[in-house]
Amino acid sequence: AKSFDKLSKKTEQNVFPEWVPAHAQNYLAHVCIGVSIRELARVQGCHPSTIHRQVRKFEARRDDPLIDA
């Protein structure tokens, strides 16, 4: 993933630690911080559908009782 510096300015701090995977950062930025999928895509230089797929994938994992125990 590209830098989340632009998102950091929104929250006035580092958004996520470096060890958090990029797909997880996208999910958390969208769900917890409220950053739009289009804004995430713009920051990372990819298509919004790419971010949307990543977010949906994590949401599906959250619905799995074996993962979200």
Side-chain angles (χ1 to χ4, degrees):
K2 303 260 179 167
S3 172
F4 281 89
D5 291 340
K6 291 180 184 176
L7 300 179
S8 296
K9 292 176 185 171
K10 227 179 180 183
T11 60
E12 306 270 334
Q13 61 186 357
N14 290 334
V15 179
F16 303 107
E18 291 181 15
W19 55 266
V20 177
H23 295 167
Q25 290 183 16
N26 290 334
Y27 172 78
L28 293 170
H30 178 63
V31 173
C32 297
I33 300 174
V35 180
S36 72
I37 288 175
R38 288 186 183 271
E39 186 176 349
L40 287 168
R42 206 172 8 257
V43 168
Q44 295 185 32
C46 64
H47 198 272
S49 65
T50 303
I51 303 297
H52 189 253
R53 274 193 308 275
Q54 293 171 0
V55 169
R56 274 196 336 232
K57 189 175 182 178
F58 266 83
E59 286 173 344
R61 288 180 182 168
R62 290 286 325 257
D63 293 338
D64 186 346
L66 295 175
I67 293 180
D68 194 30

